[in-house]
PDB file of all heavy atoms in Angstrom:
ATOM      1  N   SER A   1      38.428  16.693  12.618  1.00 94.00           N
ATOM      2  CA  SER A   1      37.822  16.071  11.441  1.00 94.00           C
ATOM      3  C   SER A   1      37.328  14.656  11.727  1.00 94.00           C
ATOM      4  O   SER A   1      36.386  14.189  11.093  1.00 94.00           O
ATOM      5  CB  SER A   1      38.802  16.077  10.260  1.00 94.00           C
ATOM      6  OG  SER A   1      39.935  15.308  10.561  1.00 94.00           O
ATOM      7  N   ALA A   2      37.938  13.989  12.712  1.00 95.00           N
ATOM      8  CA  ALA A   2      37.493  12.648  13.092  1.00 95.00           C
ATOM      9  C   ALA A   2      36.287  12.688  14.033  1.00 95.00           C
ATOM     10  O   ALA A   2      35.728  11.638  14.361  1.00 95.00           O
ATOM     11  CB  ALA A   2      38.630  11.891  13.760  1.00 95.00           C
ATOM     12  N   GLY A   3      35.906  13.881  14.486  1.00 95.00           N
ATOM     13  CA  GLY A   3      34.754  14.004  15.374  1.00 95.00           C
ATOM     14  C   GLY A   3      35.044  13.663  16.819  1.00 95.00           C
ATOM     15  O   GLY A   3      34.128  13.466  17.606  1.00 95.00           O
ATOM     16  N   VAL A   4      36.306  13.610  17.187  1.00 96.00           N
ATOM     17  CA  VAL A   4      36.689  13.313  18.572  1.00 96.00           C
ATOM     18  C   VAL A   4      36.410  14.517  19.467  1.00 96.00           C
ATOM     19  O   VAL A   4      35.969  14.369  20.610  1.00 96.00           O
ATOM     20  CB  VAL A   4      38.179  12.907  18.662  1.00 96.00           C
ATOM     21  CG1 VAL A   4      38.638  12.759  20.104  1.00 96.00           C
ATOM     22  CG2 VAL A   4      38.410  11.624  17.875  1.00 96.00           C
ATOM     23  N   VAL A   5      36.666  15.699  18.931  1.00 96.00           N
ATOM     24  CA  VAL A   5      36.436  16.934  19.679  1.00 96.00           C
ATOM     25  C   VAL A   5      35.496  17.838  18.889  1.00 96.00           C
ATOM     26  O   VAL A   5      35.393  17.737  17.671  1.00 96.00           O
ATOM     27  CB  VAL A   5      37.746  17.692  19.994  1.00 96.00           C
ATOM     28  CG1 VAL A   5      38.624  16.909  20.920  1.00 96.00           C
ATOM     29  CG2 VAL A   5      38.504  18.035  18.737  1.00 96.00           C
ATOM     30  N   GLU A   6      34.833  18.722  19.627  1.00 96.00           N
ATOM     31  CA  GLU A   6      33.973  19.724  19.015  1.00 96.00           C
ATOM     32  C   GLU A   6      34.521  21.094  19.385  1.00 96.00           C
ATOM     33  O   GLU A   6      35.016  21.290  20.490  1.00 96.00           O
ATOM     34  CB  GLU A   6      32.539  19.577  19.535  1.00 96.00           C
ATOM     35  CG  GLU A   6      31.910  18.262  19.145  1.00 96.00           C
ATOM     36  CD  GLU A   6      30.565  18.034  19.810  1.00 96.00           C
ATOM     37  OE1 GLU A   6      30.295  18.640  20.870  1.00 96.00           O
ATOM     38  OE2 GLU A   6      29.783  17.241  19.258  1.00 96.00           O
ATOM     39  N   LEU A   7      34.423  22.012  18.453  1.00 95.00           N
ATOM     40  CA  LEU A   7      34.939  23.357  18.661  1.00 95.00           C
ATOM     41  C   LEU A   7      33.810  24.353  18.463  1.00 95.00           C
ATOM     42  O   LEU A   7      33.118  24.332  17.443  1.00 95.00           O
ATOM     43  CB  LEU A   7      36.077  23.628  17.660  1.00 95.00           C
ATOM     44  CG  LEU A   7      36.916  24.859  17.869  1.00 95.00           C
ATOM     45  CD1 LEU A   7      37.619  24.823  19.216  1.00 95.00           C
ATOM     46  CD2 LEU A   7      37.959  24.967  16.761  1.00 95.00           C
ATOM     47  N   ASP A   8      33.618  25.208  19.470  1.00 96.00           N
ATOM     48  CA  ASP A   8      32.614  26.273  19.402  1.00 96.00           C
ATOM     49  C   ASP A   8      33.345  27.567  19.709  1.00 96.00           C
ATOM     50  O   ASP A   8      33.587  27.885  20.880  1.00 96.00           O
ATOM     51  CB  ASP A   8      31.492  26.014  20.406  1.00 96.00           C
ATOM     52  CG  ASP A   8      30.405  27.082  20.355  1.00 96.00           C
ATOM     53  OD1 ASP A   8      30.373  27.859  19.380  1.00 96.00           O
ATOM     54  OD2 ASP A   8      29.600  27.143  21.294  1.00 96.00           O
ATOM     55  N   GLY A   9      33.743  28.280  18.664  1.00 94.00           N
ATOM     56  CA  GLY A   9      34.569  29.472  18.860  1.00 94.00           C
ATOM     57  C   GLY A   9      35.931  29.041  19.380  1.00 94.00           C
ATOM     58  O   GLY A   9      36.655  28.317  18.713  1.00 94.00           O
ATOM     59  N   ALA A  10      36.260  29.474  20.605  1.00 94.00           N
ATOM     60  CA  ALA A  10      37.532  29.076  21.221  1.00 94.00           C
ATOM     61  C   ALA A  10      37.315  28.071  22.345  1.00 94.00           C
ATOM     62  O   ALA A  10      38.204  27.839  23.146  1.00 94.00           O
ATOM     63  CB  ALA A  10      38.255  30.309  21.753  1.00 94.00           C
ATOM     64  N   SER A  11      36.134  27.471  22.391  1.00 96.00           N
ATOM     65  CA  SER A  11      35.839  26.444  23.392  1.00 96.00           C
ATOM     66  C   SER A  11      35.904  25.072  22.740  1.00 96.00           C
ATOM     67  O   SER A  11      35.214  24.812  21.755  1.00 96.00           O
ATOM     68  CB  SER A  11      34.447  26.658  23.997  1.00 96.00           C
ATOM     69  OG  SER A  11      34.425  27.817  24.772  1.00 96.00           O
ATOM     70  N   LEU A  12      36.720  24.242  23.312  1.00 96.00           N
ATOM     71  CA  LEU A  12      36.944  22.909  22.783  1.00 96.00           C
ATOM     72  C   LEU A  12      36.374  21.904  23.774  1.00 96.00           C
ATOM     73  O   LEU A  12      36.561  22.054  24.985  1.00 96.00           O
ATOM     74  CB  LEU A  12      38.451  22.696  22.619  1.00 96.00           C
ATOM     75  CG  LEU A  12      38.897  21.366  22.075  1.00 96.00           C
ATOM     76  CD1 LEU A  12      39.877  21.605  20.956  1.00 96.00           C
ATOM     77  CD2 LEU A  12      39.548  20.555  23.169  1.00 96.00           C
ATOM     78  N   ALA A  13      35.677  20.881  23.291  1.00 97.00           N
ATOM     79  CA  ALA A  13      35.114  19.847  24.153  1.00 97.00           C
ATOM     80  C   ALA A  13      35.362  18.480  23.549  1.00 97.00           C
ATOM     81  O   ALA A  13      35.187  18.284  22.347  1.00 97.00           O
ATOM     82  CB  ALA A  13      33.618  20.066  24.345  1.00 97.00           C
ATOM     83  N   VAL A  14      35.786  17.555  24.392  1.00 97.00           N
ATOM     84  CA  VAL A  14      35.938  16.166  23.964  1.00 97.00           C
ATOM     85  C   VAL A  14      34.542  15.545  24.003  1.00 97.00           C
ATOM     86  O   VAL A  14      33.841  15.635  25.005  1.00 97.00           O
ATOM     87  CB  VAL A  14      36.886  15.390  24.909  1.00 97.00           C
ATOM     88  CG1 VAL A  14      37.035  13.950  24.449  1.00 97.00           C
ATOM     89  CG2 VAL A  14      38.238  16.072  24.994  1.00 97.00           C
ATOM     90  N   ARG A  15      34.130  14.958  22.895  1.00 97.00           N
ATOM     91  CA  ARG A  15      32.798  14.343  22.834  1.00 97.00           C
ATOM     92  C   ARG A  15      32.693  13.231  23.877  1.00 97.00           C
ATOM     93  O   ARG A  15      33.676  12.547  24.169  1.00 97.00           O
ATOM     94  CB  ARG A  15      32.536  13.789  21.444  1.00 97.00           C
ATOM     95  CG  ARG A  15      32.386  14.874  20.395  1.00 97.00           C
ATOM     96  CD  ARG A  15      32.221  14.266  19.029  1.00 97.00           C
ATOM     97  NE  ARG A  15      31.372  13.085  19.071  1.00 97.00           N
ATOM     98  CZ  ARG A  15      30.217  12.953  18.439  1.00 97.00           C
ATOM     99  NH1 ARG A  15      29.790  13.909  17.670  1.00 97.00           N
ATOM    100  NH2 ARG A  15      29.514  11.842  18.531  1.00 97.00           N
ATOM    101  N   ASP A  16      31.502  13.059  24.429  1.00 97.00           N
ATOM    102  CA  ASP A  16      31.288  12.044  25.465  1.00 97.00           C
ATOM    103  C   ASP A  16      31.728  10.656  25.017  1.00 97.00           C
ATOM    104  O   ASP A  16      32.346   9.921  25.785  1.00 97.00           O
ATOM    105  CB  ASP A  16      29.817  12.002  25.887  1.00 97.00           C
ATOM    106  CG  ASP A  16      29.411  13.200  26.720  1.00 97.00           C
ATOM    107  OD1 ASP A  16      30.297  13.922  27.216  1.00 97.00           O
ATOM    108  OD2 ASP A  16      28.191  13.429  26.861  1.00 97.00           O
ATOM    109  N   ASP A  17      31.435  10.303  23.781  1.00 97.00           N
ATOM    110  CA  ASP A  17      31.797   8.970  23.300  1.00 97.00           C
ATOM    111  C   ASP A  17      33.269   8.836  22.923  1.00 97.00           C
ATOM    112  O   ASP A  17      33.723   7.771  22.535  1.00 97.00           O
ATOM    113  CB  ASP A  17      30.908   8.561  22.126  1.00 97.00           C
ATOM    114  CG  ASP A  17      31.040   9.487  20.918  1.00 97.00           C
ATOM    115  OD1 ASP A  17      31.606  10.587  21.061  1.00 97.00           O
ATOM    116  OD2 ASP A  17      30.557   9.107  19.839  1.00 97.00           O
ATOM    117  N   SER A  18      34.030   9.934  23.071  1.00 96.00           N
ATOM    118  CA  SER A  18      35.457   9.914  22.749  1.00 96.00           C
ATOM    119  C   SER A  18      36.329  10.228  23.953  1.00 96.00           C
ATOM    120  O   SER A  18      37.529  10.450  23.812  1.00 96.00           O
ATOM    121  CB  SER A  18      35.757  10.929  21.642  1.00 96.00           C
ATOM    122  OG  SER A  18      35.067  10.607  20.465  1.00 96.00           O
ATOM    123  N   ARG A  19      35.748  10.233  25.132  1.00 97.00           N
ATOM    124  CA  ARG A  19      36.516  10.595  26.325  1.00 97.00           C
ATOM    125  C   ARG A  19      37.703   9.671  26.585  1.00 97.00           C
ATOM    126  O   ARG A  19      38.674  10.070  27.194  1.00 97.00           O
ATOM    127  CB  ARG A  19      35.606  10.673  27.550  1.00 97.00           C
ATOM    128  CG  ARG A  19      34.740  11.903  27.517  1.00 97.00           C
ATOM    129  CD  ARG A  19      33.994  12.099  28.790  1.00 97.00           C
ATOM    130  NE  ARG A  19      33.413  13.434  28.801  1.00 97.00           N
ATOM    131  CZ  ARG A  19      32.774  13.941  29.820  1.00 97.00           C
ATOM    132  NH1 ARG A  19      32.626  13.228  30.922  1.00 97.00           N
ATOM    133  NH2 ARG A  19      32.280  15.157  29.744  1.00 97.00           N
ATOM    134  N   PHE A  20      37.632   8.460  26.118  1.00 96.00           N
ATOM    135  CA  PHE A  20      38.762   7.552  26.293  1.00 96.00           C
ATOM    136  C   PHE A  20      39.994   8.037  25.512  1.00 96.00           C
ATOM    137  O   PHE A  20      41.104   7.569  25.741  1.00 96.00           O
ATOM    138  CB  PHE A  20      38.383   6.116  25.891  1.00 96.00           C
ATOM    139  CG  PHE A  20      38.117   5.935  24.419  1.00 96.00           C
ATOM    140  CD1 PHE A  20      39.113   5.458  23.578  1.00 96.00           C
ATOM    141  CD2 PHE A  20      36.875   6.248  23.877  1.00 96.00           C
ATOM    142  CE1 PHE A  20      38.872   5.286  22.221  1.00 96.00           C
ATOM    143  CE2 PHE A  20      36.622   6.077  22.528  1.00 96.00           C
ATOM    144  CZ  PHE A  20      37.624   5.597  21.694  1.00 96.00           C
ATOM    145  N   LEU A  21      39.815   9.001  24.617  1.00 96.00           N
ATOM    146  CA  LEU A  21      40.916   9.567  23.834  1.00 96.00           C
ATOM    147  C   LEU A  21      41.408  10.904  24.393  1.00 96.00           C
ATOM    148  O   LEU A  21      42.134  11.626  23.722  1.00 96.00           O
ATOM    149  CB  LEU A  21      40.463   9.763  22.383  1.00 96.00           C
ATOM    150  CG  LEU A  21      40.099   8.483  21.642  1.00 96.00           C
ATOM    151  CD1 LEU A  21      39.458   8.803  20.305  1.00 96.00           C
ATOM    152  CD2 LEU A  21      41.333   7.625  21.456  1.00 96.00           C
ATOM    153  N   VAL A  22      41.052  11.213  25.636  1.00 97.00           N
ATOM    154  CA  VAL A  22      41.382  12.518  26.202  1.00 97.00           C
ATOM    155  C   VAL A  22      42.891  12.780  26.199  1.00 97.00           C
ATOM    156  O   VAL A  22      43.330  13.904  25.989  1.00 97.00           O
ATOM    157  CB  VAL A  22      40.774  12.692  27.615  1.00 97.00           C
ATOM    158  CG1 VAL A  22      41.452  11.801  28.646  1.00 97.00           C
ATOM    159  CG2 VAL A  22      40.826  14.148  28.041  1.00 97.00           C
ATOM    160  N   ARG A  23      43.700  11.762  26.402  1.00 95.00           N
ATOM    161  CA  ARG A  23      45.159  11.956  26.386  1.00 95.00           C
ATOM    162  C   ARG A  23      45.646  12.365  24.998  1.00 95.00           C
ATOM    163  O   ARG A  23      46.565  13.162  24.868  1.00 95.00           O
ATOM    164  CB  ARG A  23      45.876  10.694  26.859  1.00 95.00           C
ATOM    165  CG  ARG A  23      45.652  10.440  28.353  1.00 95.00           C
ATOM    166  CD  ARG A  23      46.341   9.205  28.826  1.00 95.00           C
ATOM    167  NE  ARG A  23      47.787   9.348  28.689  1.00 95.00           N
ATOM    168  CZ  ARG A  23      48.639   8.351  28.813  1.00 95.00           C
ATOM    169  NH1 ARG A  23      48.206   7.137  29.056  1.00 95.00           N
ATOM    170  NH2 ARG A  23      49.931   8.546  28.684  1.00 95.00           N
ATOM    171  N   SER A  24      45.038  11.826  23.969  1.00 94.00           N
ATOM    172  CA  SER A  24      45.412  12.216  22.608  1.00 94.00           C
ATOM    173  C   SER A  24      45.025  13.658  22.326  1.00 94.00           C
ATOM    174  O   SER A  24      45.756  14.376  21.643  1.00 94.00           O
ATOM    175  CB  SER A  24      44.734  11.291  21.592  1.00 94.00           C
ATOM    176  OG  SER A  24      45.202   9.976  21.730  1.00 94.00           O
ATOM    177  N   VAL A  25      43.886  14.088  22.858  1.00 96.00           N
ATOM    178  CA  VAL A  25      43.462  15.477  22.677  1.00 96.00           C
ATOM    179  C   VAL A  25      44.424  16.405  23.405  1.00 96.00           C
ATOM    180  O   VAL A  25      44.887  17.406  22.855  1.00 96.00           O
ATOM    181  CB  VAL A  25      42.012  15.684  23.164  1.00 96.00           C
ATOM    182  CG1 VAL A  25      41.611  17.142  23.045  1.00 96.00           C
ATOM    183  CG2 VAL A  25      41.054  14.785  22.386  1.00 96.00           C
ATOM    184  N   ALA A  26      44.754  16.067  24.643  1.00 96.00           N
ATOM    185  CA  ALA A  26      45.701  16.886  25.411  1.00 96.00           C
ATOM    186  C   ALA A  26      47.061  16.923  24.722  1.00 96.00           C
ATOM    187  O   ALA A  26      47.712  17.977  24.661  1.00 96.00           O
ATOM    188  CB  ALA A  26      45.825  16.350  26.833  1.00 96.00           C
ATOM    189  N   ALA A  27      47.489  15.802  24.184  1.00 94.00           N
ATOM    190  CA  ALA A  27      48.796  15.728  23.515  1.00 94.00           C
ATOM    191  C   ALA A  27      48.868  16.637  22.296  1.00 94.00           C
ATOM    192  O   ALA A  27      49.952  17.070  21.903  1.00 94.00           O
ATOM    193  CB  ALA A  27      49.095  14.285  23.113  1.00 94.00           C
ATOM    194  N   ALA A  28      47.727  16.949  21.713  1.00 94.00           N
ATOM    195  CA  ALA A  28      47.711  17.845  20.553  1.00 94.00           C
ATOM    196  C   ALA A  28      48.220  19.235  20.916  1.00 94.00           C
ATOM    197  O   ALA A  28      48.658  19.982  20.046  1.00 94.00           O
ATOM    198  CB  ALA A  28      46.296  17.938  19.978  1.00 94.00           C
ATOM    199  N   PHE A  29      48.199  19.582  22.194  1.00 94.00           N
ATOM    200  CA  PHE A  29      48.675  20.887  22.649  1.00 94.00           C
ATOM    201  C   PHE A  29      50.069  20.834  23.255  1.00 94.00           C
ATOM    202  O   PHE A  29      50.588  21.849  23.714  1.00 94.00           O
ATOM    203  CB  PHE A  29      47.689  21.481  23.660  1.00 94.00           C
ATOM    204  CG  PHE A  29      46.401  21.903  23.024  1.00 94.00           C
ATOM    205  CD1 PHE A  29      45.306  21.061  23.004  1.00 94.00           C
ATOM    206  CD2 PHE A  29      46.296  23.146  22.414  1.00 94.00           C
ATOM    207  CE1 PHE A  29      44.118  21.445  22.400  1.00 94.00           C
ATOM    208  CE2 PHE A  29      45.121  23.538  21.801  1.00 94.00           C
ATOM    209  CZ  PHE A  29      44.030  22.685  21.797  1.00 94.00           C
ATOM    210  N   ASP A  30      50.692  19.663  23.267  1.00 93.00           N
ATOM    211  CA  ASP A  30      52.021  19.511  23.855  1.00 93.00           C
ATOM    212  C   ASP A  30      53.087  19.833  22.814  1.00 93.00           C
ATOM    213  O   ASP A  30      53.360  19.035  21.922  1.00 93.00           O
ATOM    214  CB  ASP A  30      52.200  18.091  24.388  1.00 93.00           C
ATOM    215  CG  ASP A  30      53.479  17.914  25.171  1.00 93.00           C
ATOM    216  OD1 ASP A  30      54.381  18.773  25.075  1.00 93.00           O
ATOM    217  OD2 ASP A  30      53.586  16.901  25.886  1.00 93.00           O
ATOM    218  N   ALA A  31      53.684  21.011  22.939  1.00 90.00           N
ATOM    219  CA  ALA A  31      54.687  21.460  21.965  1.00 90.00           C
ATOM    220  C   ALA A  31      55.990  20.670  22.072  1.00 90.00           C
ATOM    221  O   ALA A  31      56.793  20.677  21.141  1.00 90.00           O
ATOM    222  CB  ALA A  31      54.965  22.948  22.156  1.00 90.00           C
TER     223      ALA A  31
END
């Protein structure tokens, strides 16, 4: 919802202008 990542079906991509947040995106999958 913040536009950090884009989702196309089951493909997730970190937006180019949000790559500095890649650790936060990865952490979203850390159970």
Side-chain angles (χ1 to χ4, degrees):
S1 63
V4 173
V5 295
E6 296 172 337
L7 191 60
D8 181 14
S11 292
L12 180 131
V14 180
R15 291 176 40 118
D16 287 345
D17 61 346
S18 298
R19 286 188 168 185
F20 67 97
L21 297 171
V22 70
R23 291 180 64 192
S24 295
V25 177
F29 290 95
D30 188 344

